[in-house]
């Protein structure tokens, strides 16, 4: 398959290109597009054949459900059974935005899209190009992240091309992605709303609106052997090719331990906060961003993991970051990228 790549500026959306992208979806094709979280790989959410194509293009296990993207609130009730008062509150507070909510699905949503489940994950993105594209595509776009299954999610179009060139009909290059980590997922079907995947919309932000919010206990516990509730969180994920390890503990001890480990390994790269760059003189270092700026670290993380792949890095040692606010999402992805390898010092 030939893949057409087009550049669309979110501040000056090219209507004819968006229309072309929408037509591809309506006729059963696939289009990768930018959102505020990461690039998505879109197909018609109401067409079972399109969903099958998405799984095939990504090499994704077919029991790992897709998120359905909408561009206006009115469309939510067409695809879900019941929107509770609690769900309304969260929607008022955070939609459009980087938050995915899980509801019981209507019959119109095929099981191919939901990985066989009776529930459906729905998101209303705020990215102008994503919104225009979803509208042009008929209003319901199923989209996982636009990477090959198991690789870090793409935050630049060049990484989408690397993974999906020849596997999709079109790639919309929207430039850099603002957030850089996948959406927060909250299950609104459980008695107390439950975070299944942490993201930019943090537990603290949700608690302000909802009062009580639980977190799937498996997602931050590095040693948990329980099954996560979001099927996708079970798989090896977000992972670089290199072996990766996280060092956690007192600042001084962490730096000393990382230097000691890195010293014996010439193909090692260190991921650290900008404040520590000077501490690792003579070593290969990637700057994740300031320790005080979780948003900066979030937006750099996947790019750094991809760069390590490109550079053939065989061993990555990362500092541990704050797990407050968006830090919960950063640490969740980092721990998964490291295959749960954490050393406390
Ligand atoms: P991705 O689109 O690649 O970010 O992956 C979507 C994530 O949403 C995966 O982890 C899925 O398992 C999760 N997900 C989608 N639909 C549901 C659902 N109905 N119930 C629980 N998790 C879901
Ligand atoms: Mg993904």
């Amino acid at each position: 398959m030939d893949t057409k790549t087009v550049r669309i500026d979110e501040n000056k959306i090219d209507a004819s290109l968006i229309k072309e992208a929408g037509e591809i979806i309506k006729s059963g094709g696939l289009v990768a597009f930018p959102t505020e979280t990461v690039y998505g790989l879109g197909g018609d959410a109401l067409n079972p054949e399109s969903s099958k194509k998405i799984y095939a293009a990504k090499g994704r296990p077919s029991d790992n459900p897709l998120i359905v993207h909408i561009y206006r609130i009115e469309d939510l009730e067409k695809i879900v059974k019941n929107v509770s008062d609690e769900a309304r509150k969260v929607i008022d507070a955070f939609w459009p935005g980087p938050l995915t909510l899980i509801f019981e699905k209507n019959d119109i949503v095929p099981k191919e899209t939901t990985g066989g489940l009776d529930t459906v994950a729905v998101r209303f993105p705020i990215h102008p190009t994503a919104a225009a594209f979803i509208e042009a595509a008929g209003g319901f776009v199923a989209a996982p992240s636009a990477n090959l299954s198991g690789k870090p999610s793409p935050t630049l179009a060049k990484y989408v091309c690397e993974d999906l060139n020849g596997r999709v009909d079109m790639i919309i290059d929207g430039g850099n992605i603002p957030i850089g980590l996948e959406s927060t997922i909250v299950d609104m079907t459980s008695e107390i709303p439950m975070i299944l995947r942490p993201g930019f919309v943090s537990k603290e932000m949700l608690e302000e609106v909802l009062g009580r919010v639980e977190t799937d206990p498996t997602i931050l516990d590095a040693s948990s052997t329980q099954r996560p509730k979001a099927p996708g969180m079970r798989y090896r994920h977000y992972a670089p090719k290199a072996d990766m390890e996280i060092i956690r503990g007192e600042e001084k001890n962490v730096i000393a331990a990382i230097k000691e480990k890195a010293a014996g390994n010439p193909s090692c790269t260190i991921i650290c906060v900008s404040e520590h760059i000077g501490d690792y003189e003579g070593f290969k270092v990637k700057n994740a961003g300031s320790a005080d700026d979780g948003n900066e670290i979030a937006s750099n993380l996947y790019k750094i993991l991809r760069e390590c792949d490109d550079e053939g890095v065989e061993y990555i040692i990362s500092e541990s970051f704050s797990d407050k606010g968006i830090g919960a999402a950063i640490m969740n992805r980092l721990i998964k990228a490291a295959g749960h390898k954490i050393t406390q010092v």
Side-chain angles (χ1 to χ4, degrees):
M1 173 194 300
D2 277 341
T3 301
K4 178 173 178 176
T5 300
V6 299
R7 166 85 187 148
I8 297 183
D9 178 351
E10 66 189 72
N11 299 311
K12 220 175 83 198
I13 291 177
D14 183 323
S16 75
L17 285 178
I18 284 288
K19 185 159 180 273
E20 187 182 339
E23 292 302 327
I24 291 173
I25 298 294
K26 285 179 178 168
S27 59
L30 302 182
V31 176
F33 63 102
T35 79
E36 66 273 23
T37 55
V38 297
Y39 276 86
L41 164 55
D44 181 353
L46 307 186
N47 178 350
E49 295 310 315
S50 296
S51 292
K52 284 188 201 159
K53 277 193 193 171
I54 293 176
Y55 287 107
K58 272 184 71 90
R60 179 174 175 122
S62 62
D63 65 349
N64 185 3
L66 309 175
I67 295 173
V68 178
H69 293 68
I70 58 175
Y71 75 98
R72 54 177 186 188
I73 301 277
E74 304 92 274
D75 286 341
L76 176 63
E77 274 167 355
K78 296 182 189 158
I79 53 172
V80 310
K81 279 213 171 112
N82 170 45
V83 183
S84 65
D85 292 344
E86 273 190 321
R88 294 258 172 235
K89 280 197 226 165
V90 198
I91 287 170
D92 284 348
F94 301 112
W95 276 10
L99 174 69
T100 297
L101 299 176
I102 292 177
F103 300 94
E104 271 179 60
K105 78 171 191 72
N106 259 341
D107 292 343
I108 177 183
V109 183
K111 288 236 173 157
E112 283 79 359
T113 300
T114 64
L117 299 175
D118 292 323
T119 52
V120 61
V122 188
R123 183 156 111 74
F124 177 179
I126 197 168
H127 195 291
T129 307
F133 162 64
I134 297 162
E135 180 173 10
F140 302 98
V141 172
S145 48
N147 52 289
L148 288 177
S149 199
K151 292 238 250 164
S153 298
T155 50
L156 286 172
K158 72 169 181 175
Y159 295 130
V160 180
C161 292
E162 231 173 74
D163 282 13
L164 298 180
N165 197 25
R167 293 169 171 259
V168 297
D169 299 281
M170 185 188 262
I171 295 171
I172 301 176
D173 179 353
N176 205 11
I177 293 291
I179 294 177
L181 291 181
E182 304 83 351
S183 60
T184 308
I185 302 180
V186 180
D187 186 355
M188 298 307 298
T189 68
S190 53
E191 199 164 297
I192 300 168
M194 184 182 277
I195 299 172
L196 305 189
R197 179 173 73 185
F200 179 83
V201 177
S202 64
K203 184 160 199 263
E204 296 86 334
M205 288 158 80
L206 289 160
E207 273 168 349
E208 255 183 55
V209 175
L210 285 173
R212 276 204 306 174
V213 180
E214 291 185 329
T215 304
D216 179 353
T218 65
I219 58 185
L220 262 187
D221 178 358
S223 59
S224 176
T225 50
Q226 273 179 292
R227 276 164 87 82
K229 293 198 167 51
M233 301 298 276
R234 284 175 207 150
Y235 299 102
R236 181 180 147 88
H237 220 309
Y238 321 114
K241 289 179 194 141
D243 273 339
M244 183 167 162
E245 179 175 0
I246 301 166
I247 311 293
R248 176 163 68 183
E250 273 296 301
E251 190 174 4
K252 253 189 4 255
N253 298 345
V254 167
I255 294 170
I258 289 181
K259 284 166 86 166
E260 195 184 318
K261 280 179 185 266
N265 198 324
S267 102
C268 172
T269 287
I270 297 165
I271 302 177
C272 69
V273 293
S274 52
E275 289 83 350
H276 293 166
I277 296 279
D279 292 303
Y280 297 113
E281 228 171 287
F283 293 95
K284 240 178 97 188
V285 171
K286 298 274 184 195
N287 178 1
S290 169
D292 302 327
D293 189 347
N295 291 342
E296 187 187 5
I297 296 175
S299 79
N300 284 332
L301 180 62
Y302 288 148
K303 240 175 291 184
I304 289 176
L305 297 181
R306 289 256 179 184
E307 278 170 18
C308 287
D309 279 359
D310 293 346
E311 293 162 15
V313 173
E314 286 172 16
Y315 182 45
I316 301 171
I317 314 180
S318 179
E319 294 184 343
S320 182
F321 307 109
S322 158
D323 60 5
K324 297 280 170 304
I326 193 173
I330 295 168
M331 286 312 297
N332 169 255
R333 307 309 194 274
L334 198 68
I335 287 168
K336 285 179 80 72
H340 290 240
K341 231 163 112 192
I342 306 185
T343 305
Q344 180 78 35
V345 293

